[in-house]
Amino acid sequence: MRTINMIIMHCSAVRPWQRSSAADIERWHRERGFSSIGYHYVVRRDGSIEPGRPLQQAGAHCRGYNRHSIGICYEGGLDKNGKAADTRTAKQKAALKRLTEELRRMFPGCTVWGHHDLNPKKACPCFDARKEYASPP
């Protein structure tokens, strides 16, 4: 298993009526030349957690940080007008919290970041992940 010291939160940058399952994102990433989905998990609006890339494999979600991180993407991130917004549902927030806590138990000392913290040109994930997940489980 590779060394993991970061969890990086992302959004799929879709509007409320658009879907972005792990299968959808896999297709989009392959169309961009990726070998597979870049994220390790996708959290859907209904709170379901879909697996993406295996944890043993480095992700393809945040250039310069993939080797030692886990990428989590939630379905959403744009409002009805296409503007960046925290569109997480209550079920997504609960699922993201559970998943993050589980991963932090598996990888003690892991810190949580938003994509925009590491790449300021991005609005993703459209909320302050560092603040929201500052305390370990």
Side-chain angles (χ1 to χ4, degrees):
M1 185 59 183
R2 59 197 180 93
T3 300
I4 304 294
N5 59 21
M6 299 173 84
I7 297 168
I8 304 174
M9 294 284 178
H10 301 266
C11 66
S12 61
V14 297
R15 295 175 187 205
W17 62 87
Q18 296 174 308
R19 36 174 285 143
S20 52
S21 66
D24 294 324
I25 296 170
E26 167 103 17
R27 188 180 71 253
W28 300 339
H29 284 184
R30 286 185 181 274
E31 287 169 358
R32 291 178 50 202
F34 292 27
S35 62
S36 68
I37 186 171
Y39 308 114
H40 296 94
Y41 297 96
V42 175
V43 179
R44 304 293 303 276
R45 289 184 182 97
D46 67 1
S48 60
I49 300 170
E50 297 179 344
R53 196 175 278 219
L55 286 179
Q56 298 84 350
Q57 292 179 10
H61 56 90
C62 190
R63 183 169 287 169
Y65 298 93
N66 292 316
R67 186 171 168 203
H68 298 289
S69 68
I70 295 170
I72 301 174
C73 180
Y74 77 89
E75 181 178 37
L78 298 180
D79 67 15
K80 64 181 178 143
N81 299 313
K83 302 281 187 209
D86 181 0
T87 61
R88 294 174 297 156
T89 65
K91 288 180 179 180
Q92 277 178 311
K93 288 179 181 182
L96 285 164
K97 184 175 193 278
R98 277 192 320 274
L99 177 58
T100 302
E101 287 173 353
E102 179 183 332
L103 291 169
R104 289 176 93 176
R105 280 191 291 277
M106 290 171 60
F107 304 102
C110 220
T111 54
V112 180
W113 301 80
H115 191 191
H116 66 256
D117 296 316
L118 306 168
N119 183 344
K121 294 178 183 179
K122 304 278 184 180
C124 168
C126 306
F127 71 96
D128 189 346
R130 289 182 70 195
K131 182 178 177 184
E132 192 163 325
Y133 300 103
S135 301

